[in-house]
């Protein structure tokens, strides 16, 4: 088999169909310009941008995998599971994602009410101004409102002072179950990947449970190289990938040219000891 571990794959980013700021075609053009060789748009809990992303990628000569990033509740934390290479019209997946999106507006109103208690008014309407898809109001849109209105200096400052557990504007939410999300993805012919594993605050025991249950449910991938991982975190999750027999993914998690630290395609290579997740997805890649 040809070694594809050095492929410039970027299998994680967001458009204005979720909490990114660029349209799917603008992202495709940016990925192409940055030298990406295999691309996927992975909006949160939503596949509404897939057709536009795929059509734009193919028109630019860029191979494409369908994608999404599903919000999951596991052991009291929110975990993100990326689906790649699935059939975006699969009824169980489409219905499952609609249910996960369901409570977002109610949650957003509760977040705004909590912010009002610390003197920040008009947050719901303010966040809504940044929303491209009314079904998908997220904390990122509140973060943009808090920066715009001068309450915070940037989104990093927002998530340090607001919207996270124990801080004003945080409202707990029940997302999909881990097994459910993995089944929606695999049932639609795709591969499930644990996104940005270093971002969760799990004990070693809970982290072990996450990866063993994920694997038992049929999850096959782990995002080892991603925009928010340090070199030490890449090394840590390389070992976890090998320990749990998971294939490695690579994705920037790009949201916006100013907010995101890592641009599309501008990532370190996958460590050579790992098997790339795209080896499992060769038959699902849509070629120009
Ligand atoms: P939600 O799905 O509404 O809970 O929003 C989660 C989104 O908020 C993530 O996908 C990120 O885009 C953003 N986010 C969460 N925590 C942080 C953070 N510490 N810094 C920057 N963005 C964050
Ligand atoms: Mn996001
Ligand atoms: Mn995420
Ligand atoms: Mn993401």
């Amino acid at each position: 088999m040809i070694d594809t571990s050095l492929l410039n794959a970027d299998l994680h980013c967001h458009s204005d169909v979720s909490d990114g700021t660029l349209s799917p075609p603008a992202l495709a053009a940016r990925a192409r310009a940055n030298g990406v060789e295999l691309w996927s748009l992975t909006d949160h809990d939503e596949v509404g941008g897939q057709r536009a992303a795929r059509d734009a990628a193919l028109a630019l000569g860029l191979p494409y995998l369908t994608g999404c990033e599903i919000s999951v509740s596991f052991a009291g934390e929110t975990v993100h599971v990326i689906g790649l290479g699935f059939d975006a019209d699969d009824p169980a997946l489409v219905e499952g994602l609609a249910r996960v999106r369901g409570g977002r507006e109610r949650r957003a109103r509760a977040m705004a009410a909590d912010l009002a208690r610390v003197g920040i008014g008009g947050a719901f309407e303010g966040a809504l101004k940044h929303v491209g898809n009314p079904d998908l109001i997220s904390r990122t849109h509140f973060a943009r409102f808090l920066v715009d209105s001068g309450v915070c200096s940037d989104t990093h400052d927002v998530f340090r002072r607001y919207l996270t557990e124990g801080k004003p504007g945080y409202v707990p939410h029940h997302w999909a179950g881990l097994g459910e999300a993995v089944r929606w993805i695999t049932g639609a012919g795709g591969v499930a990947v644990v996104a940005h594993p270093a971002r969760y605050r799990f004990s070693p025991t809970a982290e072990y449970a996450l990866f063993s249950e994920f694997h038992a449910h049929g999850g096959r991938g782990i995002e080892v190289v991603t925009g928010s991982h340090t070199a030490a975190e890449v090394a840590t999750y390389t070992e976890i990938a090998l320990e749990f027999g998971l294939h490695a993914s690579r994705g920037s998690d790009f949201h916006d040219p100013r907010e995101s630290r890592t641009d599309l395609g501008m990532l370190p290579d996958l460590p050579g000891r790992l098997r790339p997740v795209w080896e499992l997805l060769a038959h699902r890649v849509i070629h120009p």
Side-chain angles (χ1 to χ4, degrees):
M1 189 194 279
I2 310 163
D3 179 11
T4 63
S5 58
L6 299 185
L7 191 76
N8 190 352
D10 192 328
L11 306 180
H12 187 167
C13 69
H14 300 274
S15 75
D16 57 6
V17 173
S18 67
D19 63 347
T21 55
L22 302 183
S23 67
L27 286 168
R30 195 175 181 100
R32 183 76 178 80
N34 287 359
V36 172
E37 296 168 301
L38 175 62
W39 180 54
S40 182
L41 169 66
T42 56
D43 278 314
H44 296 283
D45 308 323
E46 171 69 270
V47 290
Q50 290 304 305
R51 186 178 297 270
R54 181 198 65 193
D55 290 351
L58 300 186
L60 292 162
L62 174 58
Y64 188 73
L65 280 169
T66 54
C68 69
E69 182 177 22
I70 305 182
S71 312
V72 161
S73 296
F74 182 85
E77 267 275 351
T78 298
V79 168
H80 285 169
V81 173
I82 289 180
L84 296 170
F86 50 81
D87 167 11
D89 296 318
D90 181 83
L93 174 80
V94 168
E95 200 179 298
L97 292 180
R99 212 185 74 218
V100 179
R101 286 194 300 273
R104 277 187 180 267
E105 182 179 333
R106 203 169 349 107
R107 168 190 185 234
R109 291 190 188 279
M111 287 167 65
D114 201 53
L115 288 170
R117 280 191 271 280
V118 296
I120 302 168
F124 182 79
E125 295 71 21
L128 215 50
K129 287 205 184 92
H130 296 273
V131 168
N133 171 1
D135 264 8
L136 216 118
I137 181 160
S138 94
R139 284 187 291 160
T140 315
H141 303 114
F142 280 84
R144 293 189 184 126
F145 159 73
L146 289 169
V147 172
D148 264 15
S149 55
V151 175
C152 295
S153 54
D154 56 28
T155 49
H156 179 75
D157 185 37
V158 173
F159 286 101
R160 208 168 41 79
R161 293 163 55 202
Y162 299 97
L163 312 184
T164 50
E165 204 168 341
K167 308 284 164 63
Y170 180 74
V171 173
H173 195 73
H174 187 74
W175 304 104
L178 180 65
E180 251 179 344
V182 173
R183 276 191 300 280
W184 294 335
I185 295 163
T186 55
V191 170
V193 177
V194 174
H196 44 60
R199 297 280 68 81
Y200 313 123
R201 293 158 306 165
F202 283 132
S203 66
T205 315
E207 186 176 71
Y208 186 90
L210 170 68
F211 290 111
S212 39
E213 289 184 34
F214 176 71
H215 193 270
H217 286 302
R220 289 292 169 263
I222 178 171
E223 195 174 55
V224 173
V225 172
T226 184
S228 65
H229 276 183
T230 64
E233 288 166 343
V234 170
T236 298
Y237 290 96
T238 293
E239 296 310 320
I240 298 263
L242 294 169
E243 179 182 352
F244 288 88
L246 295 169
H247 283 65
S249 193
R250 178 176 187 266
S252 57
D253 204 1
F254 179 80
H255 283 71
D256 170 81
R258 279 163 310 156
E259 286 170 18
S260 298
R261 273 178 289 174
T262 306
D263 206 332
L264 285 159
M266 304 296 188
L267 289 156
D269 293 328
L270 277 190
R273 300 150 69 206
L274 296 176
R275 301 179 60 192
V277 74
W278 46 92
E279 273 185 7
L280 299 174
L281 287 159
H283 61 299
R284 308 295 298 182
V285 174
I286 307 163
H287 291 279

